[in-house]
């Protein structure tokens, strides 16, 4: 649950319109200049070019739906780390016993990782207002 400060900041962000208005020397609004080359000849950005922000940014990034493929990739990353941890913490085991311990750890890690992904996706959908 967001704090009071976070709620006030979010309400303030929603009140303000985040578009850039370009005004000429006479004070008249003009069309936005074409951004053909954001980098000038000396390799630096021009000082007058504002940074573009995402429309509806709100600080929340998109969360992908859970997938076993992503969980499998995560398992491939963490399996060697788990094996090394088992190796350093129990040096008197054989390599086969270390592999069995690593597989046992992965048997808990992979479904738990999928469950966390599903939880994060549900929370994202709930907060973004999607059904």
């Amino acid at each position: 649950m967001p704090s009071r400060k976070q709620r006030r900041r979010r309400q303030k962000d929603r009140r303000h319109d985040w578009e850039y208005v370009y005004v000429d020397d006479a004070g008249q609004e003009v069309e936005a200049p074409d951004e053909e080359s954001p980098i000038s000849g000396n390799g630096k950005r021009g000082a007058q070019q504002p940074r573009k922000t995402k429309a509806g940014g709100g600080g929340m990034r998109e969360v992908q739906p859970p997938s076993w493929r992503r969980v499998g990739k995560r398992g491939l990353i963490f399996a060697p780390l788990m094996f090394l941890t088992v190796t350093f913490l129990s040096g008197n085991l054989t390599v086969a016993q270390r592999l069995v311990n690593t597989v046992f750890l992965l048997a808990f890690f992979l479904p738990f990782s999928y469950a966390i992904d599903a939880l994060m996706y549900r929370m994202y959908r709930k907060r973004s207002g999607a059904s």
Side-chain angles (χ1 to χ4, degrees):
M1 180 168 189
S3 67
R4 183 180 299 166
K5 182 177 180 179
Q6 290 170 332
R7 284 193 303 264
R8 283 194 313 246
R9 185 174 289 157
R10 191 172 297 143
Q11 288 172 353
K12 181 180 176 184
D13 286 343
R14 289 179 184 155
R15 279 195 304 264
H16 297 286
D17 193 16
W18 290 99
E19 66 179 340
Y20 292 102
V21 177
Y22 295 93
V23 181
D24 63 0
D25 295 331
Q28 302 294 323
E29 288 185 17
V30 294
E31 292 292 322
D34 293 333
E35 295 187 28
E36 295 171 0
S37 175
I39 299 176
S40 62
N42 61 2
K44 296 182 179 177
R45 289 186 177 267
Q48 298 173 348
Q49 294 179 353
R51 291 184 177 245
K52 297 289 182 185
T53 59
K54 285 182 171 179
M60 199 166 53
R61 69 180 185 110
E62 183 178 347
V63 178
Q64 300 295 323
S67 73
W68 283 106
R69 180 179 298 252
R70 195 174 318 116
V71 170
K73 289 178 184 178
R74 196 175 299 139
L76 288 176
I77 292 170
F78 279 99
L81 297 174
M82 290 178 184
F83 181 77
L84 289 175
T85 302
V86 169
T87 300
F88 289 128
L89 292 179
S90 52
N92 57 353
L93 297 177
T94 66
V95 176
Q97 291 172 329
R98 292 179 205 160
L99 283 173
V100 169
N101 278 348
T102 303
V103 169
F104 184 73
L105 289 173
L106 283 173
F108 282 102
F109 174 75
L110 296 177
F112 183 74
S113 181
Y114 184 86
I116 294 296
D117 285 351
L119 175 72
M120 293 296 292
Y121 184 66
R122 277 197 313 254
M123 288 174 50
Y124 166 74
R125 296 278 302 227
K126 182 179 174 185
R127 288 183 180 166
S128 67
S131 352

